[in-house]
Amino acid sequence: MYNFNFCCPTRVIFGKGAIEELPKYIDRNKKVLMIYGGGSIKRNGVYERVKKALEGYNLSEFGGIEPNPKCETCMQAVELIRREGVEFLLAVGGGSTLDGTKFIAAAAKYEGENPYDDIMIKGIEVKDALPLADVITLPATGSEMNDGAVISRIATSEKLPFHSEKVFPQFSIIDPETTFSLPARQTINGIVDTFVHVMEQYCTFDVNAPLQDDWALGILRTLIKEAPKVLSNPADYDARANIFWCATCGLNNWISQGVPQDWATHMIGHELTAFYGIDHAQSLAIVQPRLLKNQKVSKAKKLAKLAREVFGYNEVVDLKAADLAIDAIEKFYNSIGMKTRLADYEIDSSEAAEKIRERFKLRDVHLGEKGTVNADTAYDILKAC
Ligand code: NZQ
Ligand code: ZN
């Protein structure tokens, strides 16, 4: 196992009625800005619950953070924060709202002219950020318990991640009942995103870390078992709760301590979203099976373990078992209603492959746990999608 240094300072308040505990964790003397998305929280009662819980607070609002949050929208919130002297941010909604809030928190304290260029592109370290917390309503990103955010810039068709300890949520409220109102498409997206997060951290090469492997495979088994339950009965509280905790643990960086990580599927997927606007999880479901085929030899041992311990195959030859695992993943996605081909979204694979190869060449990317996925590899993978 590799050395590691782990800290997650986020308190998690999980379960029915968790929203009503908000006042215990936010200072009444602070000026609070509640940040939300396109209005789902107004339709499912979460907005009213938060407002009621925060009665008596000096509370402003900023709505309109879109899926794949845009830098352009976030900067409007930064202006409001500076104008009104906001001291604490509360994101209420999905991963996009929370990611947007993380960027807003960093940008509000940033002194340079152009935080997107500096933080996302040049990778300049975030030295300060406004304190933030969240009521998360969509199990998918794990953003509620990590220090990352992914922000798009429409002007340049870019979608890039950043990480900073300064943007860990102080606390995250997870009430699985808030997810009863999710459209099936978002429930499916969340399940697939979580599955891929776990794979990005598990499916590399073996460094003798069996506990991390078992945790990772445990999340995958739970997802496969609970997914049909939430899809057939959206108000199944126990299944919703289990799926949510899978999503949070899928990317709170617990399973990745001491092991190599991949993330090539995500980096290629982000480009598909940036160029074609497809949902984050849709992009992953397209790329991942082809990427795993492309990298099969290098990942054979982990894929074979997945085939045997999650999908129940007895195949003893690793490379054959690896093929079975990749096919089983794609079958699982299809079985819950997730499409896995570019053609399903009327995207031409040659065009996408060419565009993304160009961009990766310019950036000189070397992705994956061994840095072997370069612009040409990404081209081959996308051509096969
Ligand atoms: O905007 P509103 O009206 O709130 O509606 C949202 C949105 O339309 C809706 N929704 C959310 N909760 C709901 C609900 N509808 C009904 N009931 C609820 N309880 O769902 C739609 C999608 O929301 P969004 O926040 O975009 O989805 P998700 O949580 O999947 O976030 C996706 C974003 O997270 C990034 C992705 O790239 C993408 O931009 N990621 C962030 C990561 C991180 N911070 O660590 C890691 C991930 O790999 C991912 O890249
Ligand atoms: Zn993801």
Side-chain angles (χ1 to χ4, degrees):
M1 200 193 304
Y2 299 161
N3 292 358
F4 65 86
N5 178 332
F6 179 71
C7 172
C8 174
T10 303
R11 175 190 297 276
V12 175
I13 304 137
F14 188 103
K16 290 180 189 175
I19 292 175
E20 283 61 39
E21 295 195 33
L22 267 170
K24 284 193 201 161
Y25 302 102
I26 305 182
D27 184 345
R28 273 184 194 276
N29 300 312
K30 292 264 187 284
K31 172 134 184 78
V32 180
L33 179 66
M34 167 177 170
I35 299 176
Y36 57 92
S40 69
I41 63 165
K42 293 201 169 160
R43 293 186 291 275
N44 64 11
V46 170
Y47 175 84
E48 281 308 317
R49 285 176 68 189
V50 171
K51 290 282 279 191
K52 189 148 186 269
L54 294 181
E55 249 165 26
Y57 277 79
N58 186 352
L59 184 69
S60 305
E61 292 176 23
F62 182 90
I65 303 284
E66 48 288 281
N68 306 306
K70 295 178 192 159
C71 160
E72 287 88 342
T73 309
C74 293
M75 291 311 290
Q76 292 172 21
V78 170
E79 274 175 36
L80 183 153
I81 287 166
R82 290 184 176 153
R83 214 169 46 235
E84 296 195 2
V86 169
E87 299 166 283
F88 189 91
L89 306 181
L90 181 68
V92 185
S96 292
T97 294
L98 176 51
D99 280 11
T101 301
K102 289 176 174 179
F103 180 71
I104 292 164
K109 289 277 187 177
Y110 191 71
E111 282 170 7
E113 287 281 290
N114 196 332
Y116 195 89
D117 278 336
D118 291 349
I119 298 169
M120 322 298 286
I121 297 175
K122 296 183 195 148
I124 291 176
E125 190 192 349
V126 173
K127 296 236 167 62
D128 198 7
L130 281 175
L132 66 107
D134 61 273
V135 175
I136 186 89
T137 64
L138 201 169
T141 61
S143 190
E144 64 274 17
M145 218 175 151
N146 71 39
D147 66 351
V150 191
I151 306 295
S152 297
R153 181 162 66 180
I154 299 313
T156 48
S157 299
E158 282 166 300
K159 180 174 182 187
L160 294 167
F162 85 102
H163 292 267
S164 166
E165 278 191 9
K166 304 287 177 196
V167 300
F168 268 115
Q170 283 191 352
F171 64 85
S172 291
I173 302 251
I174 303 176
D175 179 343
E177 283 186 319
T178 65
T179 67
F180 290 176
S181 59
L182 278 171
R185 168 172 153 192
Q186 299 303 341
T187 299
I188 295 163
N189 279 349
I191 291 164
V192 170
D193 196 17
T194 302
F195 200 102
V196 179
H197 292 160
V198 173
M199 288 291 287
E200 300 272 29
Q201 299 160 87
Y202 158 81
C203 195
T204 56
F205 53 88
D206 190 31
V207 293
N208 196 3
L211 182 57
Q212 287 89 324
D213 283 1
D214 276 1
W215 281 332
L217 297 178
I219 295 173
L220 298 184
R221 271 187 227 107
T222 309
L223 278 179
I224 292 168
K225 208 161 143 213
E226 302 296 306
K229 296 185 196 165
V230 288
L231 289 168
S232 66
N233 178 10
D236 180 337
Y237 178 84
D238 290 333
R240 289 287 194 187
N242 286 320
I243 294 273
F244 220 135
W245 193 228
C246 282
T248 305
C249 295
L251 199 46
N252 62 2
N253 293 319
W254 193 232
I255 61 173
S256 64
Q257 295 310 310
V259 302
Q261 299 184 54
D262 181 347
W263 297 104
T265 296
H266 267 70
M267 297 316 286
I268 300 172
H270 287 169
E271 297 305 327
L272 286 176
T273 299
F275 282 125
Y276 300 102
I278 56 175
D279 293 350
H280 173 60
Q282 293 171 341
S283 77
L284 304 177
I286 292 166
V287 174
Q288 191 202 32
R290 263 52 66 186
L291 182 134
L292 293 176
K293 287 266 176 199
N294 185 285
Q295 299 290 305
K296 184 177 77 177
V297 175
S298 167
K299 293 176 181 289
K301 197 166 170 191
K302 290 295 194 92
L303 282 167
K305 185 166 174 165
L306 173 71
R308 294 175 195 128
E309 296 186 21
V310 172
F311 292 110
Y313 289 107
N314 295 317
E315 174 58 56
V316 291
V317 180
D318 279 358
L319 277 174
K320 286 190 189 164
D323 274 326
L324 293 171
I326 298 166
D327 292 344
I329 292 170
E330 191 163 6
K331 246 194 224 149
F332 169 62
Y333 295 164
N334 293 151
S335 78
I336 58 171
M338 175 60 88
K339 296 180 173 131
T340 48
R341 291 284 176 174
L342 284 169
D344 294 323
Y345 302 94
E346 290 170 12
I347 297 170
D348 180 69
S349 61
S350 301
E351 186 203 86
E354 200 56 72
K355 271 180 154 172
I356 293 170
R357 171 159 68 180
E358 275 306 290
R359 184 167 256 186
F360 279 0
K361 276 219 163 110
L362 283 174
R363 290 192 199 144
D364 190 28
V365 302
H366 297 273
L367 305 171
E369 65 275 16
K370 293 179 180 167
T372 50
V373 178
N374 61 20
D376 290 325
T377 329
Y379 176 89
D380 292 341
I381 291 166
L382 285 159
K383 269 288 269 185
C385 288

